[in-house]
Amino acid sequence: MENGFTSSPRNDTFNPAGLRVLVVDDDPTWLKILEKMLKKCSYEVTTCGLARDALSLLRERKDGYDIVISDVNMPDMDGFKLLEHVGLEMDLPVIMMSVDGETSRVMKGVQHGACDYLLKPIRMKELRNIWQHVLRKRIHEIRDIECLEGFETIQMSRNISDQSDDGHLLTGEDLTSIKKRKDFENKDDDKDYGDPLSTKKARVVWSVDLHQKFVKAVNQIGFDKVGPKKILDLMNVPWLTRENVASHLQKYRLYLSRLQKENEFKTSVGGVKHTDSAPKDSNGSFGIQNPISMQQTDISNGSYEFSCSNSLIQNVSPKSVEGDLQGIVSVPVTEPKRALSVDVPDPLKARSSQRDFDCFVPPEADISFTAFDSTIPTQFSWCKVPESPFKHECKPLQDGFSQLPLPGPQHPIQNDHKQSVPSVSSKSSVADRDIEIKPLDATCRSHHSNHASPTGTMIDSFSGQAEVPIASHQAFEPISTTASSMKNQGFNPSSISNLDSAQRNINRGIGSSLATLDEDLKLYLLQGDCLAMNLGLQDIDFSLYDDPLLINEVPFHLYDSRFDYEHPCDPAEYSVVDQSLFIA
Amino acid sequence: MDNVIQLQKKLVDYKTSLFNEGILDDQFTQLQQLQDESNPDFVVEVVSLFFKDSERLFDELAKTLDQQNVDFNRLDAHVHQLKGSSSSIGAQRVQKVCILFRNYCEVRNIEECLKCLQQLKREYYFVKNKLETLFKLEKQIMEAGGTIPVQ
């Protein structure tokens, strides 16, 4: 696509005319008004009434838009989720809008990466200025890349022994020039930028696969030692440049640190809303927002977005990382309605019944949604995978299941499960805190509040409705915090198993309603990024873990191919998901 | 011509009263300013969209309130939507009732919510009526060969 801007390099003037704006709002009245207003600003406007349409538009024309303006409240997907997706996949500036100007909402927008937050009714003058965001972002990107390159070069010089693929040593002069480059930011920005106005970098769209490769590479190298060149070499993607990797890496780091912060922040907050991914049929629009969730699910059912505690993250690491991007694709959850409450301490098996499995809304979908919806949406996706012993624990679903430590009927964490925990991916990192997830009323399509309760898990009964929205479970604290520190924090194996079963339930639950709503189950999810799920795990039969059917039922996106699962995937099921989720 | 002038005056007075009474706010003026030759029926189109969407939302609200177990989250979401769209055309009084409505949703007071819905409908039909009168006046002016005075 051509550059929406025109600029004249001679005098560095910037003409915002022709800026390609994508407006997303479910309110038809506003959509029309905004379109008119933007046209009056001489922008090129595309309107969209649904977030998922917007995402597919953005993916189709990867370089087709310069900026996205989106409403916060939309029926099919939370605006924040969309924001995350766009930021990670397309790296476009996103402006949020809402009639609600509460500070907390605005803050949430900023936290999720919004460039701006406009209050409705919106005035023309506010729209006239949006081109500044595009320009600013470009300038920063160029800066970042240059910084990263400089940094990387320095790193290179330090790790000479590791530089087999990098080649040369830095001479004194090189170092000086690198330093100079790093200083440029503080000095002559213009010179160093080149012309950001006219330079339109070809946007790399970080598809699920690509991100998977990225995460895999990062994990292989080791998060601490990672550098764009190393990653690039490992990824072995010929058309990808180091700059692309560098900027993506930076985002990834920010994402992880934000996840961690959010995890810390979110202790026992139960108010994770289940995102809009309300019961939508699995039309493949799973919001795999959290790669972590993917990771988690990958083990079991790949659908949980359990913010694994450190241990989890470790497990997931190679996969989880990959899943991150995938997680970004949040598509409305197909059947978010199922709320399964899992009794954490209760061994999953015992609790969840087969039905429950079916009832689970694709955890990924839900989770990712909720994850995003919840306070720590991003936590999931960017599962930092430090090199951990558990790395290899991530197994395909089947294995994961078998690995699930069944702590036995409801008892507290057993540390010996740690090993198995990793396999559970997200679940394992159950942290100290259990989040209690209240089952949602089946008719309630919105959110569950999850309360993290430090004590044991309780099981609440669902209102016996077939479809209970899956509460966005809170990420397990450990999970969220593990992003940065992978260590088992005394997770509760039982919770893990619960999670596991819950996960499975979720996986199974795709497309089927939760039959065991009347059972009292409450999932205490360890705090983390996991979506609070009310898993109606009644009598989870652990044998189900190994049930290939489970695996098959898990939507593809949940599994996240990066996990290299050997389990068979149901192509039909996946294809739906796949198309909607991933960038082709 | 006198007729046109008379009508124009009538229109201006009418509009002013709507603003003074808080039925419409500045956003409506913005809308009118957006209208141009390329889109001469812009305001009417937008307002029609608003009518359609609002009536749909009223149905949803009624349905939601009619349940055994009222889903307040869902209720709140719909009211929020209505708040948003009423803000789009400057239907100030409707918007204010929405705010009240949302407060009652938060405390889960069904009685008050039901009352709010009634009030909402009243305000809505009131503003709808006013706007339709306004548009009729404008049409009359144009048919008489005049132009719509810009406030």
Side-chain angles (χ1 to χ4, degrees):
Chain A
M1 307 292 296
E2 29 177 87
N3 192 337
F5 298 114
T6 56
S7 65
S8 67
R10 284 165 288 152
N11 48 11
D12 277 340
T13 54
F14 190 80
N15 183 2
L19 193 70
R20 293 160 307 164
V21 185
L22 178 66
V23 187
V24 191
D25 197 333
D26 65 311
D27 185 333
T29 325
W30 269 115
L31 208 55
K32 192 177 172 79
I33 295 174
L34 288 166
E35 184 185 26
K36 183 79 182 165
M37 287 168 83
L38 289 164
K39 282 193 173 147
K40 282 232 160 175
C41 297
S42 311
Y43 296 148
E44 211 181 275
V45 188
T46 311
T47 59
C48 235
L50 285 173
R52 106 181 113 225
D53 292 345
L55 268 179
S56 51
L57 268 180
L58 285 164
R59 287 177 187 147
E60 273 170 45
R61 299 162 65 197
K62 290 171 189 181
D63 231 5
Y65 302 96
D66 297 310
I67 188 165
V68 178
I69 303 182
S70 169
D71 190 70
V72 166
N73 297 83
M74 289 188 288
D76 66 330
M77 188 193 297
D78 188 11
F80 296 122
K81 279 200 193 135
L82 177 64
L83 166 58
E84 292 262 358
H85 277 296
V86 174
L88 276 161
E89 282 180 43
M90 294 109 203
D91 191 26
L92 289 175
V94 181
I95 293 177
M96 305 302 292
M97 320 178 272
S98 180
V99 69
D100 179 5
E102 259 174 60
T103 310
S104 59
R105 300 292 280 173
V106 177
M107 187 174 77
K108 195 171 178 187
V110 174
Q111 278 174 336
H112 283 70
C115 307
D116 207 349
Y117 194 108
L118 302 178
L119 281 192
K120 288 178 172 175
I122 298 179
R123 292 287 173 264
M124 277 290 289
K125 59 178 190 264
E126 295 174 271
L127 292 180
R128 279 197 206 281
N129 288 335
I130 63 174
W131 60 268
Q132 295 175 7
H133 298 294
V134 184
L135 178 57
R136 195 179 299 125
K137 198 170 178 97
R138 287 194 191 166
I139 290 175
H140 285 161
E141 271 172 338
I142 294 174
R143 255 193 219 167
D144 291 344
I145 285 173
E146 303 229 2
C147 267
L148 279 171
E149 283 179 352
F151 175 68
E152 187 203 19
T153 331
I154 288 176
Q155 246 189 345
M156 272 167 51
S157 62
R158 287 193 197 135
N159 304 313
I160 287 171
S161 53
D162 300 332
Q163 300 303 313
S164 53
D165 49 348
D166 283 336
H168 31 276
L169 306 176
L170 289 176
T171 64
E173 288 160 58
D174 293 337
L175 285 167
T176 320
S177 61
I178 288 166
K179 281 194 199 127
K180 275 194 188 155
R181 190 151 56 147
K182 290 199 82 173
D183 289 343
F184 84 87
E185 215 179 331
N186 309 326
K187 296 175 187 170
D188 298 305
D189 289 343
D190 291 341
K191 288 188 206 156
D192 289 345
Y193 293 149
D195 185 358
L197 307 182
S198 53
T199 322
K200 192 163 161 71
K201 308 190 310 289
R203 271 193 203 293
V204 171
V205 182
W206 283 85
S207 68
V208 177
D209 287 336
L210 195 60
H211 182 69
Q212 265 183 339
K213 285 201 181 110
F214 171 82
V215 171
K216 202 171 177 179
V218 169
N219 295 335
Q220 266 179 271
I221 298 168
F223 195 73
D224 299 328
K225 293 196 276 179
V226 80
K229 180 119 195 335
K230 284 191 206 168
I231 298 173
L232 183 65
D233 292 339
L234 269 177
M235 281 175 72
N236 193 26
V237 176
W239 54 267
L240 200 63
T241 70
R242 198 176 62 188
E243 288 74 24
N244 302 140
V245 177
S247 69
H248 194 72
L249 176 63
Q250 194 188 35
K251 273 191 246 135
Y252 185 60
R253 283 192 174 122
L254 289 172
Y255 174 79
L256 286 179
S257 64
R258 179 170 53 170
L259 273 183
Q260 190 188 5
K261 274 195 217 129
E262 284 176 342
N263 278 329
E264 288 164 359
F265 175 72
K266 233 180 36 158
T267 42
S268 54
V269 180
V272 178
K273 280 172 35 163
H274 190 66
T275 59
D276 329 298
S277 53
K280 276 192 167 208
D281 3 289
S282 1
N283 47 12
S285 55
F286 288 111
I288 305 187
Q289 301 192 339
N290 288 332
I292 293 186
S293 58
M294 302 230 355
Q295 302 162 352
Q296 302 168 343
T297 54
D298 85 349
I299 299 287
S300 47
N301 42 29
S303 50
Y304 290 132
E305 288 195 353
F306 287 91
S307 46
C308 303
S309 56
N310 296 323
S311 56
L312 277 185
I313 293 191
Q314 295 180 339
N315 286 326
V316 225
S317 50
K319 304 186 185 170
S320 56
V321 178
E322 296 174 348
D324 292 21
L325 273 191
Q326 292 184 352
I328 301 299
V329 181
S330 60
V331 188
V333 178
T334 55
E335 277 108 41
K337 293 151 231 200
R338 308 175 208 223
L340 300 172
S341 60
V342 178
D343 182 1
V344 175
D346 188 26
L348 291 176
K349 299 193 247 182
R351 298 314 207 86
S352 52
S353 57
Q354 189 69 34
R355 293 172 296 168
D356 294 340
F357 282 100
D358 293 341
C359 291
F360 278 91
V361 171
E364 276 307 323
D366 271 344
I367 297 179
S368 49
F369 271 112
T370 52
F372 278 93
D373 262 350
S374 64
T375 58
I376 315 176
T378 55
Q379 285 172 328
F380 291 104
S381 44
W382 298 90
C383 187
K384 175 182 138 170
V385 185
E387 293 176 310
S388 68
F390 298 110
K391 218 169 171 182
H392 303 292
E393 300 263 15
C394 292
K395 293 180 188 197
L397 260 172
Q398 280 157 339
D399 291 347
F401 280 128
S402 55
Q403 295 241 350
L404 278 180
L406 297 181
Q410 336 215 325
H411 49 78
I413 304 155
Q414 298 163 10
N415 285 334
D416 53 16
H417 288 293
K418 285 190 187 170
Q419 280 303 312
S420 50
V421 171
S423 60
V424 179
S425 59
S426 54
K427 297 191 269 191
S428 50
S429 59
V430 173
D432 304 312
R433 287 184 278 173
D434 290 348
I435 295 178
E436 176 185 76
I437 298 177
K438 291 200 181 132
L440 285 178
D441 177 55
T443 57
C444 171
R445 288 137 125 302
S446 43
H447 340 277
H448 291 283
S449 345
N450 301 318
H451 311 287
S453 70
T455 53
T457 58
M458 301 199 296
I459 296 182
D460 291 342
S461 51
F462 289 97
S463 50
Q465 323 246 343
E467 292 193 74
V468 180
I470 289 192
S472 50
H473 41 272
Q474 306 213 326
F476 289 84
E477 247 183 5
I479 294 175
S480 52
T481 51
T482 52
S484 50
S485 57
M486 310 258 302
K487 21 179 199 171
N488 286 331
Q489 302 173 1
F491 49 79
N492 184 344
S494 55
S495 49
I496 293 173
S497 54
N498 284 332
L499 288 178
D500 193 53
S501 55
Q503 259 188 355
R504 274 182 277 146
N505 281 341
I506 290 176
N507 287 326
R508 305 287 296 237
I510 299 167
S512 44
S513 41
L514 182 57
T516 60
L517 289 179
D518 49 334
E519 311 229 358
D520 294 351
L521 288 177
K522 192 181 277 185
L523 175 63
Y524 275 82
L525 293 181
L526 299 183
Q527 195 167 46
D529 299 326
C530 295
L531 296 175
M533 298 191 307
N534 288 322
L535 304 174
L537 302 175
Q538 300 273 320
D539 301 291
I540 295 177
D541 180 20
F542 276 113
S543 61
L544 291 175
Y545 286 165
D546 297 325
D547 188 339
L549 181 57
L550 271 178
I551 296 167
N552 289 336
E553 287 186 10
V554 178
F556 176 71
H557 68 274
L558 294 179
Y559 283 104
D560 187 0
S561 59
R562 30 172 219 248
F563 291 104
D564 299 330
Y565 287 129
E566 295 94 50
H567 59 265
C569 296
D570 180 5
E573 206 172 84
Y574 295 148
S575 60
V576 172
V577 173
D578 190 41
Q579 279 158 21
S580 57
L581 290 173
F582 303 141
I583 297 161
Chain B
M1 250 324 157
D2 276 346
N3 189 26
V4 172
I5 294 173
Q6 251 181 347
L7 286 171
Q8 285 173 332
K9 180 162 191 323
K10 196 171 172 192
L11 181 70
V12 171
D13 289 344
Y14 193 67
K15 259 197 227 170
T16 310
S17 74
L18 292 181
F19 286 110
N20 288 345
E21 290 170 39
I23 299 167
L24 290 177
D25 64 22
D26 185 55
Q27 175 64 14
F28 190 76
T29 312
Q30 298 283 323
L31 282 189
Q32 295 190 302
Q33 287 172 355
L34 281 176
Q35 185 162 292
D36 55 22
E37 307 78 40
S38 70
N39 209 336
D41 293 320
F42 179 68
V43 182
V44 175
E45 285 169 8
V46 171
V47 173
S48 309
L49 276 173
F50 166 69
F51 288 158
K52 200 168 111 189
D53 205 39
S54 300
E55 282 164 37
R56 174 188 70 85
L57 285 169
F58 283 131
D59 285 342
E60 291 285 339
L61 285 169
K63 238 196 291 177
T64 311
L65 276 168
D66 208 21
Q67 304 288 313
Q68 275 282 43
N69 290 325
V70 174
D71 182 349
F72 285 100
N73 286 336
R74 194 190 167 94
L75 200 63
D76 182 78
H78 287 315
V79 178
H80 184 92
Q81 271 183 283
L82 192 57
K83 184 180 172 200
S85 50
S86 60
S87 75
S88 74
I89 66 152
Q92 203 180 58
R93 301 219 312 219
V94 176
Q95 199 177 346
K96 289 197 173 139
V97 181
C98 285
I99 295 173
L100 196 67
F101 200 151
R102 287 192 81 195
N103 289 339
Y104 286 125
C105 284
E106 219 176 310
V107 297
R108 304 166 83 85
N109 187 331
I110 294 192
E111 283 303 311
E112 292 297 331
C113 283
L114 282 164
K115 282 196 209 156
C116 276
L117 180 59
Q118 296 314 310
Q119 200 180 349
L120 210 49
K121 283 184 173 170
R122 275 198 301 271
E123 292 294 345
Y124 166 76
Y125 285 112
F126 186 65
V127 74
K128 181 171 186 201
N129 195 294
K130 295 285 183 183
L131 285 168
E132 283 171 343
T133 308
L134 188 76
F135 294 143
K136 255 196 226 133
L137 264 176
E138 286 182 347
K139 197 168 176 208
Q140 276 180 306
I141 293 174
M142 297 210 288
E143 280 168 358
T147 54
I148 312 294
V150 180
Q151 262 178 312

